[in-house]
Amino acid sequence: MRYLSTRGDAPVLEFGDALLTGLAIDGGLYVPERWPSLPRPLGVYRDLPYVDVATDVIWPFVEGSGPGAMSHDELGAVVEAAYAGFRHPEVAPLHHLVGGDPAGADEYVLELYWGPTLAFKDIALQLVGHLFEHELHRRRATVTVVGATSGDTGSAAIEALRGREGIELVMLHPAGRVSEVQRRQMTTVTDSNIHNVAVAGTFDDCQDLVKAMFGDRPFRERMGLAAVNSINWARVAAQIVYYVTTAARLEADRRPVSFTVPTGNFGNVLAGHVARRMGTPIERLVLASNRNDIVTRTHASGIMENRGVEPTTSPAMDIQVSSNFERLLYDYWPGDRGARGAGVAEAMTEFRATGRLELPQPVAAAFSAEFDAGAAGEEEVSRTIAEVWDRDHYLIDPHTAVGVTVGRRLGLAGEVMVELATAHPAKFGDTVERATGIQPELPDHLADLMEREERLVELPDDLAVIEEYVERVCRR
Ligand SMILES: *Cc1c(COP(=O)(O)O)cnc(C)c1O
C-alpha cells in the first residue's frame, strides 16, 4: 500500500514513512492510494478476539512497505502490546440500552473508553506509540515528539509514548488553565522519557511555541522533531477496527446496523466511512455535533462555513475546523488523481483565506447521501444524561450524550443503532453529577491520582528558553 497527499503535491510514501511524517509537505493529509477489502467475510470476525480482528483489518494498510518492513506477525505483536493495557477483555465492549423510545431503534452503546486515559483516543494512540517504537527501532533512529495540549489529548499521547524506546516526549500545557485531574494525568507519569512543561501563557501560546520549534529548521533537524497529531493515518486505521468488530457481533450482514458518532475533528467517523468502503455493512453513519456544528451545517447546506467556537460541556468536540474532513473531500472529489489533489488544495486554500467553502455539487451530494447528521444543544445533552441514568441506571459522559441524543432523534424502528461512547463518565464527572446527582467514580488505576507525586517544570512563554530546555532533557 502506498500513501498520497490529499493536495497532490508531496512524495508518495510507504506506510512507515507516512507514519513518521504526519502532515505532508504540501500541507495535505496522507491517504491510502485505494481502499482495500476486508480480508475475510464479516462472520469470521464474530468469534475472534479484538486483537486478531485488528491485525487482520490493519494489515492491508501496512502490507508491502518495502524491504525490511513490518511482517504480519510483527504487526500482530505490536497490536497485542497496544491493547494489553486495556481494562476490558473485549477492548471495545457493547452495552444494550433498553430504556429508549420503544418506537425507535434497538439501541447499543459502544464503550471506547477502557484505555489508560479513559477516552477513545487511547485506542488509536496506544497503537501509534507501539508502531512508532517498532519503526524507529528498525531504522535505528530516535525522535523528539513535541506537542501542545489544552488538557485532553496530552495525557493520551503521554500514556502512548511513556517508556517507548527511541522516543522523548515534551508536552506543553498552559499553566493553571487545565483541570487538576487533567494536569495530574500528565504530570504523575514518571517515565524518564516524558517531560511536562507548564507554560506561563494560553493554549494558543503553547501551540505557537510548537509551531515555532517545527519552523526552526536547524533545531528541528538537530532534535529529530516529530508529532503524533490527529491527522496521522495510523490513528484512523486503528479506529476502523471497532466498526468491524461491532458490525460482526451485531450481525450487520443479516440486519440493518447503524452508527452514531460524536464528532469533532472527523477522525472517528471517517474511520466508519473507511470501514464501509472496505465492505463492512453499515446501514447509516450519523454525525453528531454539539452546538459547534460546522460539520452538520455543511452536511445540510453543502457550504462549509467557519463561525468561531463556543465552549460546551463536551470540549473535545469544540472545534472550528474538522481537519480529517479533508480526507473525505478527497475521497469524493471528481476526476483523476491529479484533478482531485489540485481541487482539494485549491478548496482548502480558499477555506483558509475566507472561512467559507461551497462544496462542488458531486461532493455535497455524496456527503449528503452517505451520512446523516444532527446537533445537540447543552440542555438536551444534560437531559439525555439524566434520562439514560433514570431508565437504564447507566452513566454516560457529555460527549457520548451528544451521540445518544442525536441517535435517538434519528434512529428508526427496525434498525440497530450503535452510539459511540468516547469518554468514561468519570472523566467529565462534574457535568454528569449536575445532570444525575451521581458523581461517577474514577476506575481503580486512577483512584490515588490526587495523592501521587507530580513531575513538571514551569517555563516562560519564550521560544529560546523552551528550545534550550528541550535540547537539554532530550540529549542522548
Ligand atoms: C477527540 C474526541 C471526540 C471527537 O473525535 P473526532 O475523531 O475528533 O471526531 C469526541 N469525544 C471525545 C471524548 C474525544 O476525546
Side-chain angles (χ1 to χ4, degrees), residues 124 230-241 267 270-271 274 324 327:
S230 64
I231 48 84
N232 205 304
W233 173 259
R235 283 178 65 165
V236 178
Q239 292 167 181
I240 297 166
V241 177
L270 181 80
V274 178
N324 269 297
R327 289 189 164 115

Side-chain angles (χ1 to χ4, degrees), residues 146-216:
V146 293
T149 181
S150 56
D152 229 36
T153 52
S155 58
I158 286 170
E159 287 292 342
L161 298 183
R162 65 188 296 181
R164 304 260 77 81
E165 204 186 309
I167 303 172
E168 300 286 331
L169 171 61
V170 178
M171 185 58 70
L172 313 183
H173 71 264
R177 291 173 198 246
V178 302
S179 77
E180 186 172 6
V181 169
Q182 285 176 330
R183 187 190 70 239
R184 285 179 163 276
Q185 278 192 291
M186 298 192 282
T187 58
T188 58
V189 173
T190 54
D191 299 70
S192 62
N193 71 326
I194 303 298
H195 313 281
N196 278 291
V197 181
V199 175
T202 62
F203 170 58
D204 287 337
D205 295 331
C206 294
Q207 239 176 353
D208 289 344
L209 285 165
V210 170
K211 276 190 204 144
M213 282 189 266
F214 274 96
D216 178 348

Side-chain angles (χ1 to χ4, degrees), residues 260-318:
T260 301
V261 188
T263 294
N265 264 322
F266 211 81
N268 197 351
V269 74
L270 181 80
H273 172 73
V274 178
R276 203 189 225 174
R277 283 277 190 266
M278 294 174 75
T280 312
I282 294 174
E283 181 75 7
R284 295 190 300 146
L285 265 178
V286 182
L287 297 155
S289 311
N290 65 24
R291 70 171 177 221
N292 296 299
D293 59 350
I294 181 166
V295 171
T296 45
R297 281 188 284 110
T298 309
H299 181 266
S301 66
I303 299 170
M304 184 157 82
E305 193 173 17
N306 193 341
R307 291 194 188 152
V309 54
E310 291 175 55
T312 70
T313 52
S314 43
M317 296 160 66
D318 290 347

Side-chain angles (χ1 to χ4, degrees), residues 4 16 21 42 52 82 92 115 140-141 160 174-175 200 246 255 279 284 305 331 350 401 408 443 454:
L4 316 171
T21 301
L42 192 71
D52 292 356
R140 302 191 204 294
T246 303
R255 56 178 175 162
R284 295 190 300 146
E305 193 173 17
D331 194 38
E350 181 187 332
R408 286 186 169 177
E454 290 188 82

